[in-house]
Amino acid sequence: MGLDSEDNHKRTAGSAAPQTDVDPQTPVLRINQLDALELDSALDQLLWNQFSQCFQNCRPGLLTPLEPELRALLHLLLWRFTLYSSSATVGQSLLSLRYHNVLSSSSRYRPLSSRQKLGLALLTAGPRWLQERSHSLLLCLGLSSGGPVSERFGGLVQQGFRNCLTLVSSIAQLTSVINFLVFLRKGHHPVLAERIVGARSVFCKANVVRDITYQYMNRELLWHGFAEFLIFLLPLINTRKLKATVSSIVFGGESSAGEGATVSQEVWKECGLCGEWPTMPHTMGCKHVFCYYCIKSHSIADAYLTCPKCGAEAGQLEPVKMEVEMMSR
């Protein structure tokens, strides 16, 4: 016991030694705290995806019955090697943040105690596990429809227990919303679990240098705005007509001298839309031929349809009149 206490004292002193220059009173930006939570959530999901891929060649649905327990176990495993060891999650470490014990009377930095770390892990993974397992727990307790309790005591106990669970869940969600509004106002404790255990995010260095510069952020905002502008603009552009215009400019007119007869013969052999032999050939005002179903469906879908070959505006559909000459042997 003496050696264990001495080792724990050395470990605590070692973890707190590099933080002697930390000022807990330095305010942390709200966006940094929210970004740390998002990074932690993304890491949990990434860890679960990697774990589930190990069983992708097994029977489908193998992990589904135990998914809530496995997710909680992976979360506790990640907590053991991050928050329990250094008083900081992975997201906080990337943003130069660390948890500070606000229950300590000292004005200097104090890491979280083991009890606070354990409480933070249970309050984070526990409610999520209960939410995913609530229906199964009701089945185990016999409080679902047709269970032994409902048959013995009627539906009164069942309805009362369900109302109680609904009330507790509603109160928890309302409290989380109120806590988040208080966080937006004061800038501390973005999640309710941190407020309960007395943990607050502080900078782990006195002078923190941004790893992501404002130049990078400005470039990302510029490209994001440009992408939104293209998403708005592209549906307004008639790409079919633009393609036909560019093709006519680059490759020249199809009715050039010396090629008129050849082109006119080739036009009658394929549909201008599907490229196959025209079925019930029709024209729409230009010299190109289309299948009736192709040109009719496109004209219904696009009121301002243009010929994809020459760019001419669609007119009245007319069937192609073909002359068949019988050759006698």
Side-chain angles (χ1 to χ4, degrees):
M1 292 296 293
L3 293 176
D4 293 340
S5 60
E6 184 178 354
D7 291 339
N8 293 334
H9 177 72
K10 289 181 179 180
R11 189 182 299 112
T12 305
S15 61
Q19 312 301 330
T20 54
D21 56 344
V22 175
D23 183 13
Q25 304 303 324
T26 303
V28 179
L29 296 178
R30 296 170 178 81
I31 188 62
N32 286 0
Q33 301 180 56
L34 295 178
D35 285 344
L37 294 176
E38 289 295 328
L39 289 173
D40 293 334
S41 177
L43 181 61
D44 286 339
Q45 186 62 36
L46 178 62
L47 188 61
W48 171 254
N49 291 338
Q50 294 294 328
F51 179 77
S52 59
Q53 285 181 1
C54 298
F55 301 89
Q56 62 181 355
N57 296 325
C58 299
R59 176 175 56 85
L62 179 63
L63 301 179
T64 303
L66 298 176
E67 182 175 347
E69 287 75 16
L70 292 176
R71 282 182 176 272
L73 182 62
L74 291 177
H75 180 80
L76 293 177
L77 185 65
L78 187 63
W79 162 84
R80 172 60 183 84
F81 293 102
T82 55
L83 181 59
Y84 184 80
S85 302
S86 59
S87 292
T89 63
V90 176
Q92 288 178 330
S93 300
L94 293 175
L95 297 176
S96 300
L97 299 178
R98 190 176 295 270
Y99 276 129
H100 167 63
N101 185 3
V102 297
L103 301 180
S104 176
S105 58
S106 176
S107 60
R108 304 181 63 181
Y109 171 79
R110 288 292 180 270
L112 297 181
S113 62
S114 300
R115 184 176 299 178
Q116 287 176 308
K117 295 176 182 178
L118 182 60
L120 196 59
L122 294 178
L123 289 176
T124 303
R128 183 170 55 187
W129 177 83
L130 286 175
Q131 183 179 5
E132 295 176 353
R133 279 299 184 194
S134 59
H135 181 68
S136 300
L137 292 177
L138 289 177
L139 291 176
C140 293
L141 295 175
L143 294 177
S144 60
S145 58
V149 175
S150 59
E151 293 179 357
R152 187 178 306 173
F153 300 103
L156 184 60
V157 176
Q158 175 186 356
Q159 187 65 27
F161 193 80
R162 288 182 178 274
N163 292 339
C164 183
L165 288 179
T166 304
L167 180 62
V168 172
S169 177
S170 302
I171 292 176
Q173 293 178 2
L174 180 61
T175 309
S176 299
V177 172
I178 295 175
N179 176 79
F180 188 75
L181 295 178
V182 174
F183 161 73
L184 294 178
R185 178 66 178 86
K186 297 186 176 181
H188 302 305
H189 311 295
V191 293
L192 185 61
E194 296 180 4
R195 189 178 298 275
I196 293 175
V197 302
R200 180 165 59 88
S201 298
V202 296
F203 287 114
C204 62
K205 298 178 182 178
N207 298 319
V208 180
V209 179
R210 290 179 59 90
D211 295 331
I212 303 177
T213 61
Y214 287 103
Q215 182 180 3
Y216 171 80
M217 296 175 62
N218 292 336
R219 185 166 62 249
E220 287 296 317
L221 290 174
L222 177 63
W223 281 110
H224 182 70
F226 182 67
E228 288 188 344
F229 174 73
L230 289 181
I231 293 174
F232 171 77
L233 182 63
L234 287 179
L236 304 179
I237 300 177
N238 192 338
T239 55
R240 189 180 294 109
K241 184 175 182 180
L242 182 62
K243 179 182 177 181
T245 304
V246 173
S247 300
S248 62
I249 294 176
V250 174
F251 300 104
E254 294 182 351
S255 60
S256 57
E259 297 183 357
T262 305
V263 172
S264 61
Q265 294 176 1
E266 293 295 331
V267 162
W268 297 87
K269 293 182 179 180
E270 66 176 12
C271 172
L273 290 171
C274 66
E276 302 293 335
W277 187 274
T279 303
M280 299 176 62
H282 280 65
T283 60
M284 60 177 189
C286 62
K287 60 184 179 181
H288 296 96
V289 180
F290 308 90
C291 300
Y292 173 76
Y293 297 105
C294 293
I295 190 63
K296 190 65 176 178
S297 60
H298 280 74
S299 61
I300 293 175
D302 186 4
Y304 304 97
L305 179 66
T306 57
C307 178
K309 298 291 186 180
C310 61
E313 295 184 359
Q316 185 69 25
L317 297 183
E318 297 180 358
V320 176
K321 298 179 180 180
M322 303 181 65
E323 297 181 359
V324 179
E325 183 178 354
M326 303 296 294
M327 302 292 295
S328 60
R329 297 182 180 181

